[in-house]
Amino acid sequence: MSKSMMSSYYQPFQGEGRKITCIFENPTWLEELLKRPVAGIAGSRLCGLFKVLRHMDCQLSSDFESQLFRHRVCIVNGVRKVYSTSANISDCRYREFVKGNEERLREAVENACIVVCFGDRAEIAMR
């Protein structure tokens, strides 16, 4: 993946065949720092999920075996946490998909055979 495509909000599909898109909610500080979505604990858990799916004896694992890896699927962080300027620091609101990435989300969903949303706000962003 080229440097220009790297972002804490988006990882394009890598590979050939059927495409899987994973939509998450908000990038963490680590993802922002690394300019890579789903780093740290979330990335480890996604890898674990894919490992379990690869070793299952089912249609999903056979049809998508080559795609069930974190670095091969399309990953999109769907929303961004925006903190209020009010005195209540814990008060925050979520706005829709980050400006400029709406098209990436739409393309990622339209070109996928499977879309998996991780969280309520991720599902809202996908819709």
Side-chain angles (χ1 to χ4, degrees):
M1 173 172 24
S2 71
K3 285 260 189 204
S4 64
M5 294 186 81
M6 295 179 83
S7 163
S8 60
Y9 289 93
Y10 180 72
Q11 170 184 294
F13 175 75
Q14 302 291 316
E16 297 177 10
R18 297 178 175 205
K19 298 178 182 181
I20 298 173
T21 295
C22 297
I23 302 174
F24 288 81
E25 293 186 354
N26 195 57
T28 65
W29 67 269
L30 181 60
E31 294 168 13
E32 291 283 359
L33 181 69
L34 297 174
K35 300 284 187 230
R36 179 177 166 191
V38 191
I41 294 170
S44 295
R45 290 183 177 159
L46 183 60
C47 288
L49 172 63
F50 284 154
K51 183 176 182 179
V52 168
L53 291 173
R54 282 194 310 271
H55 289 91
M56 290 178 66
D57 185 21
C58 64
Q59 191 70 38
L60 175 76
S61 62
S62 61
D63 287 352
F64 292 91
E65 183 178 14
S66 67
Q67 302 308 316
L68 293 173
F69 295 91
R70 194 203 80 73
H71 65 278
R72 291 190 183 157
V73 298
C74 178
I75 298 175
V76 181
N77 274 313
V79 293
R80 180 176 183 176
K81 190 183 288 186
V82 179
Y83 292 97
S84 172
T85 57
S86 70
N88 185 357
I89 295 174
S90 65
D91 179 36
C92 67
R93 60 183 174 79
Y94 286 84
R95 64 181 169 120
E96 288 189 24
F97 199 70
V98 178
K99 184 179 177 184
N101 284 340
E102 296 94 343
E103 192 60 38
R104 284 183 179 166
L105 178 62
R106 188 176 357 272
E107 183 181 317
V109 170
E110 287 175 356
N111 293 328
C113 291
I114 295 178
V115 177
V116 183
C117 296
F118 293 87
D120 294 338
R121 291 180 181 96
E123 184 177 354
I124 290 167
M126 189 225 25
R127 290 182 186 174

